[in-house]
Amino acid sequence: MRVIIKNDSNDCSTWVAGYIAYSIKKAKPSAKKPFVLGLPTGSTPLGVYKELIKLYQNKKISFEHVVTFNMDEYVGLSPEDKNSYHYFMHENFFKFININPKNIYILNGLTKDYAKECEDYEKAIKAYGGIDLMLGGIGSDGHIAFNEPFSSFASRTRIKTLAPSTIKDNSRFFDNDISKVPTQALTIGIGTIMDSKEVIIMATGENKAEAIRATIEEPINHKCPASILQTHRYGIIVCDEGAIKKLSSPTIQYFKGTENRL
C-alpha cells in the first residue's frame, strides 16, 4: 500500500487527476477495449473532477473510450433530483468532457427490484473485464462507498442502510437537515472495490484523521472497512496534512521519505 501525503486538498486533487490521466493514456483504450474507471461523489473528489476537466480542455486527455461506474446512489432519488448522484456527476463532471453517455453507469435509486439492479450492475462490470482504476473517498468512520462499518469484506453491490454518522455527515448536502437525507443507498461492495486492478482512496481534512489512522496503522478490521486496502496489491491512499494528524511520527516519516525519493 502506498500513502501519498500532500500539503492540502488542492495538491491531492492535482496528483490524483494526473495519475488518472496517466493511467488512461498508458492503457491506450479503444472502442473494443475501453478504460474502466470507478468514480465517487461527495466533496472530496470535486477538485479531481475540476482538474480532469482542465486536462480535457487542454487536449491532454480524452474520455472517448472511457467507461465509468459510479460507486453508489441514494434510494428514492430520481436522476433529476439535485441531491442525487446522477445529477452530481453530470453537473460536476460528465457534461464537461467527451464521454459517451452510453459509457456512463450509475445505479438506479428508483428501481422496483433492488436485487436485480445490483446484480445487473455487477454483470456489467464483469462484462468489461472489471474496473481498471477505482477512485474513492473515506468516511469519518472509515466507510468506503456506502459500505458502513462491519460490512462484509466479500460484499457485492447491494442495498445498504446508512449509519447515523454517515447521515449526519451527508446532511451538509441537504440543507443540514438530517430528516432530508435518505436512509438507504445502493452501493458497490467491498469485494467489488477490491477486485479493481488499482484503488485510490482520498482523504482530506482533520475530520478524516482518525479514519486514516485506523486504515493505515491498525490491523484489518470490519469496524474500519477501508483498512482492507492494506491487502490490495495496488492500493494507494492520497491524503493531506490534516488527514495525517493522528498518524505516528515514524509512519509519516516513512511514507514521506519513500514517496519523495520516487
Side-chain angles (χ1 to χ4, degrees):
M1 179 174 65
R2 293 176 62 187
V3 177
I4 310 296
I5 301 171
K6 295 295 180 181
N7 290 328
D8 54 32
S9 60
N10 289 333
D11 288 345
C12 289
S13 296
T14 299
W15 191 94
V16 171
Y19 191 88
I20 291 173
Y22 162 79
S23 299
I24 292 173
K25 288 188 286 187
K26 181 182 178 182
K28 298 179 180 178
S30 64
K32 291 185 176 180
K33 188 173 176 52
F35 186 88
V36 185
L37 184 61
L39 297 175
T41 53
S43 55
T44 302
L46 276 175
V48 175
Y49 297 147
K50 289 178 181 178
E51 290 297 321
L52 287 173
I53 291 167
K54 288 180 185 177
L55 291 172
Y56 164 69
Q57 291 173 337
N58 291 328
K59 299 182 179 181
K60 293 184 178 181
I61 185 66
S62 171
F63 296 90
E64 181 182 5
H65 300 307
V66 172
V67 170
T68 63
F69 283 89
N70 259 76
M71 282 185 153
D72 38 38
E73 177 59 285
Y74 286 116
V75 167
L77 296 190
S78 71
E80 294 75 32
D81 190 301
K82 291 186 177 181
N83 288 310
S84 75
Y85 290 157
H86 280 78
Y87 187 90
F88 177 98
M89 291 304 303
H90 283 279
E91 291 301 308
N92 290 292
F93 189 40
F94 293 144
K95 75 177 187 180
F96 299 104
I97 59 174
N98 65 329
I99 191 167
N100 186 334
K102 294 181 179 179
N103 289 345
I104 297 171
Y105 290 81
I106 306 178
L107 287 155
N108 178 13
L110 294 181
T111 181
K112 300 297 184 182
D113 191 335
Y114 301 129
K116 185 178 186 304
E117 174 69 14
C118 295
E119 182 180 350
D120 288 347
Y121 210 65
E122 288 283 336
K123 287 180 179 178
I125 293 173
K126 187 176 181 180
Y128 282 106
I131 293 172
D132 293 304
L133 175 59
M134 174 68 75
L135 174 63
I138 183 173
S140 59
D141 59 2
H143 73 255
I144 45 178
F146 274 130
N147 296 287
E148 303 286 21
F150 307 106
S151 293
S152 168
F153 287 152
S155 58
R156 294 290 168 180
T157 304
R158 67 213 186 284
I159 187 170
K160 283 288 290 182
T161 297
L162 307 184
S165 60
T166 300
I167 293 174
K168 181 180 179 181
D169 287 347
N170 288 2
S171 66
R172 67 188 188 278
F173 301 114
F174 293 82
D175 302 320
N176 291 309
D177 187 345
I178 291 178
S179 67
K180 293 181 180 180
V181 185
T183 59
Q184 291 184 307
L186 300 181
T187 182
I188 61 172
I190 296 176
T192 313
I193 294 172
M194 292 298 287
D195 277 351
S196 304
K197 298 177 182 68
E198 289 189 272
V199 179
I200 296 178
I201 297 297
M202 293 182 69
T204 58
E206 291 188 30
N207 63 317
K208 303 297 177 68
E210 178 55 34
I212 285 299
R213 186 199 65 79
T215 297
I216 295 173
E217 294 188 330
E218 291 294 315
I220 297 168
N221 193 302
H222 289 83
K223 189 176 180 180
C224 178
S227 65
I228 192 63
L229 196 65
Q230 295 177 28
T231 68
H232 198 285
R233 187 177 181 184
Y234 297 109
I236 304 175
I237 295 177
V238 181
C239 47
D240 66 4
E241 291 289 343
I244 64 169
K245 287 287 187 182
K246 294 190 177 182
L247 289 180
S248 67
S249 179
T251 298
I252 294 171
Q253 290 175 7
Y254 171 78
F255 285 114
K256 282 189 174 182
T258 54
E259 288 301 330
N260 286 342
R261 292 201 301 269
L262 292 179

